[in-house]
């Protein structure tokens, strides 16, 4: 099966104008203008279009320049502090017209013309908290996430860390945040052992340039840091580009790294005023760019911020739902702050709110149990173990789980009869795929049969007791 990998411009230049492939596959189709896609479409019998309408619209990616020049235009055209309301409105109108102009893309065309299917499994994140906000805000809590961790592990690992710097926003950049990003990188790269891949994301282009300059200045006075910086900029893991980068939000779609460091850039100016103008994140489509940015991390997000969260929008102090880009920006920063502080009740309430009351798949979220699962839970508790119900609405939910006191992680997951999620209708998915995916969270899975529990209760209970003892390496607690 020979595979040709190229962008549409190259396809138009080098391939004969005839049908020569069995299939043409477009990835990141939300960024593909229809007029760029047509020549490649003509060269295949079958078309597969993959994309996310909740991510970024077309940009100048397919222009002759590698970098996105539109980010420069946006940053440079940002109204100055003394701009009048009319000038600010004119800038917003300009942004809105640009977004409308960008709307016609291949993904929207394909959604109207082709059969649709949603990919409902999220594998990237080592902690579900890295995707929970986007899942609740943009995907209707429809993403199923295999990985699960007890709350104490989340409190210890802090997959999202929020640090308020309070730096001044001057000349569309924030020197204090740039310095803090450099300090964080030095700290991470000094640690022994395998280095995580890292990317830095800023909320405008000038801050990205400033951070790049600060890193160069740091490298000049620290040879070890320079050596690491050079090596990380050229990093390739198993043939995949995992190089260190500093980019603004316009240019990170498609990237992923172990750790993402955010410099949120905006803050109070020298006069102490905080302007609610956030460049691309505050304009039409800004929530899509935010969604792209906050889903790039595999293991950890570090947020370095100078933005007074309460002043970004009025959503948090009202009862209304998130509707504008500023609402989502405020909600995410509050989510990051609360999760970093271990305020799980506040996190759950915020996720439910941005999800429109639908609820969200969050660590420790308990679904309603039926009489059978209650009976099993009571039996386990009589043995001396505490149980949890995990994300009962998900394909990877678990009726009962027990934390291994030796590790603080889940030691065993217990199903009361076979799972009944719609994604598990086929036996292969239910009995082979799902258990294999869940091994990263539950070292052992055990299924309790309701039929056996009713007709042969002693035998079923003995099997459950033995499974728990085997998984946790000890007899029942006294």
């Amino acid at each position: 099966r020979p595979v040709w990998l190229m962008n549409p411009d190259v396809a138009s230049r080098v391939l004969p104008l005839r049908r020569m492939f069995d299939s043409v596959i477009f990835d990141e189709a939300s960024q593909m203008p229809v007029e760029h896609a047509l020549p490649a479409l003509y060269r295949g019998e079958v078309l597969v279009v993959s994309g996310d309408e909740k991510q970024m619209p077309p940009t100048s990616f397919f222009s002759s320049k590698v970098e996105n020049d539109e980010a420069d235009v946006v940053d440079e055209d940002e109204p100055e502090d003394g701009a009048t309301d009319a000038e600010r409105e004119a800038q917003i109108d300009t942004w809105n017209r640009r977004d409308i102009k960008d709307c016609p893309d291949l993904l929207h065309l394909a959604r109207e013309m082709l059969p649709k299917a949603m990919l409902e499994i999220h594998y990237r994140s080592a902690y579900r908290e890295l995707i929970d906000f986007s899942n609740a805000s943009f995907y209707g809590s429809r993403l199923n996430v295999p990985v699960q961790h007890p709350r104490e592990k989340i409190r210890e690992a802090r997959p999202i860390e929020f640090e308020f710097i309070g730096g001044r926003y001057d000349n569309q950049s924030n020197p204090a945040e740039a310095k803090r990003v450099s300090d964080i990188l030095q700290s991470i790269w000094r640690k022994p052992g395998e280095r995580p891949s890292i990317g830095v994301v800023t909320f405008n282009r000038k801050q990205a340039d400033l951070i790049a300059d600060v890193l160069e200045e740091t490298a000049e006075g620290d040879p070890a840091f320079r050596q690491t910086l050079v090596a990380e900029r050229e990093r390739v893991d198993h043939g995949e580009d995992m190089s260190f980068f500093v980019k603004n939000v316009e240019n990170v779609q498609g990237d992923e790294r172990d750790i993402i460091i955010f410099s949120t850039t905006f803050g109070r100016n020298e006069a102490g005023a905080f302007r609610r103008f956030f460049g691309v994140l505050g304009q039409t489509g800004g929530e899509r760019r935010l969604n792209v940015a906050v889903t790039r991390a595999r293991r950890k997000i570090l947020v370095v911020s100078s933005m007074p969260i309460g002043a970004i929008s009025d959503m948090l102090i009202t009862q209304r739902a998130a509707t504008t880009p500023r609402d989502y920006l405020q909600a995410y920063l509050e989510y990051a702050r609360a999760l970093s502080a271990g305020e799980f009740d506040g996190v759950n309430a915020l996720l439910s709110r941005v999800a429109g009351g639908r609820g969200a798949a969050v660590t420790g979220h308990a679904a309603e149990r039926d009489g059978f699962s209650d009976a099993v839970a009571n039996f386990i508790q009589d043995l001396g173990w505490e149980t949890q119900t995990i994300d009962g609405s998900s394909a990877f939910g678990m009726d009962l789980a027990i934390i291994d006191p030796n590790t603080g992680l889940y030691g065993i997951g217990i199903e009361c009869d076979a799972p009944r999620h719609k994604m598990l209708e086929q036996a292969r998915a239910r009995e082979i795929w799902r258990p294999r995916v869940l091994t990263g969270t539950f070292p052992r899975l055990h299924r309790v049969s309701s039929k056996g529990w009713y007709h042969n209760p002693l035998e079923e209970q003995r099997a459950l007791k033995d499974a728990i003892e085997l998984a946790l390496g000890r007899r029942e607690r006294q």
Side-chain angles (χ1 to χ4, degrees):
R1 295 289 188 274
V3 177
W4 293 54
L5 181 66
M6 59 183 65
N7 68 38
D9 181 62
V10 174
S12 295
R13 292 172 184 267
V14 304
L15 299 179
L17 188 58
R18 60 179 176 82
R19 296 187 185 275
M20 55 183 299
F21 294 102
D22 296 320
S23 301
V24 172
I25 303 173
F26 279 92
D27 193 17
E28 301 288 6
S30 67
Q31 289 195 305
M32 175 65 63
V34 175
E35 62 270 24
H36 286 272
L38 286 175
L41 296 179
Y42 185 81
R43 290 169 166 85
E45 296 288 342
V46 175
L47 171 64
V48 178
V49 177
S50 173
D52 186 349
E53 63 180 353
K54 300 299 183 180
Q55 295 194 3
M56 288 172 58
T59 67
S60 59
F61 178 81
F62 292 101
S63 68
S64 59
K65 295 183 179 181
V66 175
E67 292 294 328
N68 180 5
D69 292 338
E70 290 177 351
D72 289 331
V73 174
V74 172
D75 294 338
E76 293 170 2
D77 286 353
E78 180 179 328
E80 299 298 331
D81 290 346
T84 65
D85 290 342
E87 289 171 335
R88 296 186 190 282
E89 289 296 328
Q91 175 67 14
I92 292 173
D93 288 342
T94 299
W95 258 103
N96 290 343
R97 287 196 301 272
R98 173 181 177 268
D99 195 72
I100 292 171
K101 173 178 67 68
D102 285 343
C103 276
D105 58 64
L106 179 61
L107 182 63
H108 281 77
L109 178 64
R111 282 174 55 84
E112 298 299 324
M113 305 295 293
L114 301 177
K116 296 179 290 292
M118 178 177 176
L119 304 181
E120 298 180 356
I121 312 299
H122 176 84
Y123 290 103
R124 173 186 299 160
S125 302
Y127 295 89
R128 66 189 303 121
E129 288 71 20
L130 296 173
I131 193 63
D132 272 344
F133 180 83
S134 287
N135 193 15
S137 299
F138 307 117
Y139 302 111
S141 300
R142 290 177 295 169
L143 296 180
N144 294 271
V145 187
V147 66
Q148 319 265 3
H149 291 88
R151 279 188 172 180
E152 285 307 311
K153 271 297 177 183
I154 297 302
R155 199 185 305 275
E156 175 187 329
R158 297 179 73 193
I160 300 181
E161 292 188 31
F162 180 90
E163 184 175 356
F164 182 77
I165 299 297
R168 296 301 182 190
Y169 181 60
D170 180 49
N171 193 27
Q172 300 176 34
S173 58
N174 193 315
E177 288 189 13
K179 177 63 168 60
R180 182 56 186 150
V181 169
S182 175
D183 292 343
I184 291 173
L185 286 170
Q186 291 180 73
S187 176
I188 294 174
W189 285 342
R190 285 194 191 111
K191 294 178 181 178
E194 184 178 354
R195 290 192 297 263
S197 59
I198 301 176
V200 177
V201 179
T202 69
F203 282 12
N204 70 19
R205 181 63 173 272
K206 286 193 174 182
Q207 183 70 3
D209 293 339
L210 176 61
I211 290 175
D213 291 341
V214 170
L215 294 180
E216 287 298 325
E217 292 175 4
T218 303
E220 288 179 4
D222 188 338
F225 180 81
R226 171 169 288 283
Q227 183 178 5
T228 303
L229 180 61
V230 171
E232 288 298 306
R233 282 173 172 168
E234 300 175 352
R235 178 170 177 170
V236 176
D237 292 346
H238 307 291
E240 184 178 5
D241 178 13
M242 285 289 113
S243 58
F244 170 75
F245 65 76
V246 181
K247 298 182 179 181
N248 70 330
V249 292
E250 288 279 85
N251 297 310
V252 296
Q253 184 154 314
D255 290 320
E256 60 179 70
R257 297 293 185 269
D258 295 326
I259 298 176
I260 292 293
I261 304 172
F262 282 110
S263 171
T264 63
T265 309
F266 304 101
R268 298 189 185 278
N269 60 23
E270 288 297 328
F274 180 68
R275 294 168 41 208
R276 296 203 299 180
F277 186 90
F278 310 123
V280 297
L281 291 177
Q283 306 308 316
T284 303
E287 69 278 10
R288 295 163 69 177
R289 292 169 171 86
L290 178 68
N291 183 36
V292 171
V294 302
T295 55
R296 301 301 96 198
R298 292 174 173 174
R299 289 165 41 187
K300 195 178 191 69
I301 289 175
L302 299 167
V303 181
V304 177
S305 181
S306 303
M307 300 175 71
I309 296 176
I312 295 173
S313 173
D314 63 357
M315 190 210 60
L316 290 179
I317 62 174
T318 65
Q319 297 301 313
R320 65 180 180 82
T323 56
T324 69
R326 281 188 293 190
D327 292 344
Y328 286 105
L329 177 58
Q330 182 186 51
Y332 180 76
L333 292 182
E334 174 60 17
Y335 169 77
R337 185 208 62 77
L339 185 63
S340 179
E343 300 172 5
F344 295 112
D345 290 342
V347 167
N348 292 354
L350 180 60
L351 291 179
S352 180
R353 183 173 174 186
V354 297
R358 292 183 297 270
V362 292
T363 300
H365 175 67
E368 293 184 3
R369 296 202 301 238
D370 58 20
F372 173 40
S373 57
D374 282 338
V376 175
N378 291 335
F379 172 76
I380 296 173
Q381 290 167 2
D382 288 342
L383 295 178
W385 298 99
E386 294 184 4
T387 63
Q388 293 183 7
T389 297
I390 302 174
D391 194 10
S393 62
S394 166
F396 302 107
M398 195 60 57
D399 292 310
L400 301 166
I402 304 176
I403 297 175
D404 187 338
N406 298 313
T407 65
L409 299 171
Y410 293 116
I412 183 172
I414 299 165
E415 300 172 326
C416 297
D417 280 333
R420 295 172 291 279
H421 193 274
K422 62 182 178 63
M423 292 181 60
L424 305 174
E425 293 175 349
Q426 294 186 358
R428 180 182 296 274
R430 187 172 57 250
E431 308 298 339
I432 299 177
W433 168 72
R434 179 177 181 271
R436 186 166 56 204
V437 170
L438 281 174
T439 54
T441 297
F442 303 102
R444 183 177 179 87
L445 295 175
H446 181 79
R447 184 176 296 168
V448 182
S449 163
S450 58
K451 180 179 179 181
W453 194 266
Y454 180 79
H455 292 288
N456 301 292
L458 295 179
E459 182 178 344
E460 199 70 24
Q461 290 170 4
R462 186 184 307 111
L464 173 59
K465 178 172 175 288
D466 290 345
I468 295 173
E469 292 172 357
L470 179 63
L472 302 181
R474 58 187 295 185
R475 295 291 171 181
E476 64 266 28
R477 302 170 70 182
Q478 303 298 324

